[in-house]
Amino acid sequence: MAILSQSTASFSPSFVSTHSDFTLLTRLPCRVTFRRRRHAVSSRLNSSKFSGAGGPLSPDNGGDIAYELHHDFSPQRRRRGSPVFVTLPVNSVSREGGRVARPKAMLFSLKALVSAGVEGVVIEIWWGLVEKNKPRFYDWRGYEELVAMACKCGLKVRAVLAFHQHGAGPDDPDWIPLPLWVLDEIQRDVELAYCDRFGRRNIEYISLGCDILPVLRGRSPIQVYADFMRDFRNNFRSLLGVIITGVQIGMGPGGELRYPSFSLQDPNLAWSHELGEFQCHDKYMLASLNASARNIGMREWGNGGPFGTGSLMQNPDHTDFFKSDGGSWDTPYGKFFLEWYSDMLLLHGERICREAETIFRGTEVHISAKVAAIHWHYVTQSHPSELTAGYYNTFNRNGYLPITRMFSKYGFSICCSCFEMQDEVMQKINPDGSPEGFLRQLLLAARLYDLSLEGQNFSTNLDDGAFTQVLKMSKFYSEGIEKRPFSFNFVRMDKRLFESRNWDQFTRFVRQMSHGNIFRARLNSVGDIRFRTARVIAEAGLLYHLYQHP
């Protein structure tokens, strides 16, 4: 029977797996225990001498597997390079949420990442799995197990608190919906879901129009997110700042601070011409719009979204609202609507930032949030796909300064993808797009407010040219008189990463990012077991193949 926990209860989940190959993890080198029990973490992890002394990370009584990691975390040396993290597969934890889905493959994969010099892993923690069936009943067991495995291998962890749906639907093997009890509430009140002008509902994320209303069994969505963050903090408290060094807070679809205005089910379609749809037609968003219009004496402006926005894939210059010359986006009405629409998104972000900053204050974790990389109409004057996503960014208005200012106010880092994309490649698909132009604008806004930055790739099919582009854009941000903190999240670990050619490219990239200042991991032998680097990589790739092709 599953062991679930309320925030007021205590429990002691075990790391013992039914898989015989996983019994090695019952004695952890970092001696991690979880939640409502007291944590015990080796004092060597907190020691300033640990990184340079070359001391082994091992169990007090001798472990099954020991790694001798020569980390150098000194600020003087770390500034010379940028650490690389690797995002784990979406389905790393089973749909039931109580265990690591493929523990043996995961363990070998993590060991391979250590051998490559990777700093740590990014673990997406899904709201739909942890608080799946009942409000305030949180099941962290699978994620506890996963964090323990990363700790065992000497890897740091960045946790992503994902409050959105993943995947297209039940037929998607990686589909993770919102919690079932939340979906029940949406069925009772469909207005909790975003709605466009055609009446199409989107349940990737709860409409921000009801942020502070008690629509979820007596709690508001912001209260629900805050309770989840608080329970996460309490459960993993003594690992925060030690093993779990970063927490990214989801703020919208895809974990990004945006409206669900477009779909990336087919990225090539989106990059071609997709304009997106304004998501302002649920009753909660309409009530806010109507009130704002009345406040300025223009009630007729508060009845819905703009007219003349065209079809989803239409050329923006063939629409009345988005066209460059004489488009209504640049009229008093258009400015009113776009300011209201983007201000609502900013207010949503500020509410979550305020809660997160309070909850994680004093834990020494770096808190971050993600901004969407919407670049496929960047060279047009109106930037329609950015406008529908909630970014009031046009040729004569910088829409990213208010966002970076907000993150700076609450001490957040900023995360963004498309670091591997090149204009010369993407503009063959869509001449109006400019991923490099978009990214430079965002990075300059982040530099202005001195934010730490987490870069990320969008495509998983990276070659040497893509890795070179990542290095180029990372230097654009981090180099200069002021050395701004930069790190990179590689998205994501899968069986292709462990193929010989891809692995060689990836490990070379990690060395280049860190300027040679990487982990020098020596895998020690224990008994008759010898974990040589080549074998670890081969085992990881083989196990992925076996699990995907039984």
Side-chain angles (χ1 to χ4, degrees), residues 343-393:
D343 283 350
M344 287 289 285
L345 185 66
L346 278 172
L347 181 59
H348 174 69
E350 178 133 8
R351 285 166 174 161
I352 295 180
C353 282
R354 187 185 303 120
E355 294 289 346
E357 191 279 329
T358 300
I359 290 167
F360 292 104
R361 185 183 301 162
T363 61
E364 299 185 5
V365 296
H366 299 286
I367 314 174
S368 65
K370 190 176 180 184
V371 173
I374 302 174
H375 51 79
W376 41 94
H377 286 104
Y378 188 81
V379 303
T380 67
Q381 290 193 41
S382 63
H383 295 225
S385 48
E386 290 167 85
L387 298 184
T388 55
Y391 303 149
Y392 190 1
N393 189 59

Side-chain angles (χ1 to χ4, degrees), residues 108 112 115 498-499 503 507 532-542:
F108 273 92
S115 74
F498 300 106
E499 294 171 0
W503 183 254
T507 54
R532 301 182 189 278
T533 300
R535 179 189 166 190
V536 169
I537 297 166
E539 287 277 7
L542 176 61

